[in-house]
Amino acid sequence: MNELILELTEISPREFFGQQNRNIDLIKKYFPKLKIVARGNKIKVYGDEELLEEFDNRMDMLTSHFAKYNKLDENIIERVLTSNTPEDYESPENSGEVLVHGVNGRLIKAQTVNQRKLVDAAKNNDMVFAIGPAGTGKTYTGVALAVKALKEKQVKRIILTRPAVEAGENLGFLPGDLKEKLDPYMQPLYDGLRDMIPAEKLAHLLENGTIQIAPLAFMRGRTLDNAFVILDEGQNTTHAQMKMFLTRMGKNAKFLITGDPGQIDLPRRVISGLKEALLILKNTPGIAIIHLDDKDVIRHKLVKKVIDAYKTIEHQN
């Protein structure tokens, strides 16, 4: 049996290994045929020469990433150990850029490669489609970009919208005034804003209309100038709704459309406005389409497993 000894000299072994060697335990799951022992500042590994070489390369990637960002968690370990090249998981030079200094000193920044692509796309294009499954940070990153643009006076207002009640927008039967009827459907947008803007200031911005949260039907007839506009849950728009929304774009406006084509709530035989838009606009200059996937999921680790399980069923149907 061959042996490989790795010595950690430039980084803290305790932080790299994680509490109670948690990170090492995660790494072991990706190399079940190797015997891995971590003690002090050394990692001893036993197994076939080919596997040891692969392990050595992957550990070099992990230690380099840790040395640069001083951070290692389950998501990073998975991305590094399942990527083909550093470009698949590593940050561009400006990727450490903080988008927003959030509440309680929270630093809001893109955390994955595709989220960083989304940030870059928004810089270089006035209309961006962010496509991917639940938990990939589409809406959250979008809200951060909008708040950043408002704080830097690139725009004068933020407009957040989504189709309400399975895209039918039939809110009349719900109790309460309009805001009370809409709030449950707009909650993900509020959640992002609350992380990024102190409560008192957010309330003021909502009250004076600097930040507007409204159902898609309320966009009809408007021209949206000097605004960062996010259409969330775009997969639940019809052809007419999507066309109506996209043609609201005014001067000095940024449009971000997010959606998951795998979670369409429209009635059968109704074509998703998002799917249609992606087909007809894919080669249009000034419009970018960014695809996020399960490697971008930053929610609970079980979310990835849920997505994978449903993929299996959906591919069989």
Side-chain angles (χ1 to χ4, degrees), residues 20-281:
Q20 298 178 327
N21 279 5
R22 184 176 178 179
N23 293 337
I24 292 295
D25 291 338
L26 284 170
I27 293 167
K28 286 179 180 178
K29 291 179 181 179
Y30 290 90
F31 294 94
K33 294 183 179 180
L34 295 178
K35 183 182 178 183
I36 302 169
V37 181
R39 286 202 185 97
N41 69 335
K42 292 182 179 178
I43 302 173
K44 292 184 179 180
V45 194
Y46 306 90
D48 292 341
E49 188 171 349
E50 194 174 318
L51 276 175
L52 289 178
E53 187 175 343
E54 171 69 9
F55 181 84
D56 193 17
N57 290 335
R58 295 292 175 174
M59 287 300 293
D60 187 46
M61 292 165 133
L62 277 173
T63 52
S64 296
H65 187 94
F66 183 84
K68 189 172 183 180
Y69 297 101
N70 200 32
K71 180 182 178 184
L72 205 61
D73 59 28
E74 184 173 356
N75 286 318
I76 292 169
I77 290 170
E78 180 182 10
R79 290 202 300 273
V80 172
L81 296 184
T82 58
S83 297
N84 294 320
T85 66
E87 287 73 28
D88 291 336
Y89 67 87
E90 191 53 274
S91 313
E93 284 307 308
N94 63 349
S95 69
E97 169 192 4
V98 175
L99 297 177
V100 180
H101 291 269
V103 176
N104 297 324
R106 187 173 191 168
L107 302 180
I108 312 289
K109 58 174 77 174
Q111 296 187 46
T112 71
V113 171
N114 289 324
Q115 287 177 13
R116 290 189 283 269
K117 287 180 181 176
L118 176 55
V119 171
D120 290 339
K123 286 179 182 176
N124 300 318
N125 300 272
D126 287 337
M127 185 179 291
V128 179
F129 288 82
I131 310 302
T136 50
K138 306 180 298 294
T139 302
Y140 196 82
T141 304
V143 171
L145 287 168
V147 172
K148 174 181 169 67
L150 182 67
K151 286 186 172 184
E152 294 179 355
K153 296 184 171 25
Q154 296 170 14
V155 297
K156 293 181 180 178
R157 54 187 172 154
I158 295 172
I159 299 172
L160 309 175
T161 185
R162 62 189 333 212
V165 193
E166 299 184 351
E169 304 192 7
N170 179 18
L171 299 169
F173 69 92
L174 292 171
D177 62 19
L178 181 62
K179 185 177 185 301
E180 289 169 336
K181 290 177 181 182
L182 292 174
D183 278 357
Y185 301 99
M186 305 300 170
Q187 203 58 50
L189 303 171
Y190 282 114
D191 289 344
L193 289 169
R194 289 190 186 108
D195 277 356
M196 300 171 203
I197 303 174
E200 192 174 324
K201 185 174 182 182
L202 177 58
H204 175 69
L205 293 173
L206 288 165
E207 189 177 336
N208 69 16
T210 302
I211 297 178
Q212 302 170 26
I213 302 179
L216 185 56
F218 282 52
M219 298 299 110
R220 191 168 283 110
R222 300 180 67 182
T223 300
L224 306 176
D225 294 319
N226 299 307
F228 197 115
V229 187
I230 299 176
L231 169 59
D232 197 31
E233 299 288 342
Q235 76 275 5
N236 288 331
T237 59
T238 63
H239 159 87
Q241 287 172 325
M242 181 60 80
K243 182 182 177 184
M244 177 275 291
F245 173 77
L246 296 179
T247 54
R248 299 307 93 203
M249 195 173 202
K251 295 176 181 176
N252 190 40
K254 288 273 191 182
F255 270 37
L256 175 67
I257 301 94
T258 75
D260 176 7
Q263 286 192 342
I264 296 173
D265 296 321
L266 292 166
R268 288 186 178 183
R269 294 186 293 278
V270 176
I271 296 171
S272 165
L274 177 66
K275 281 191 169 184
E276 185 180 59
L278 293 174
L279 282 173
I280 64 176
L281 299 174

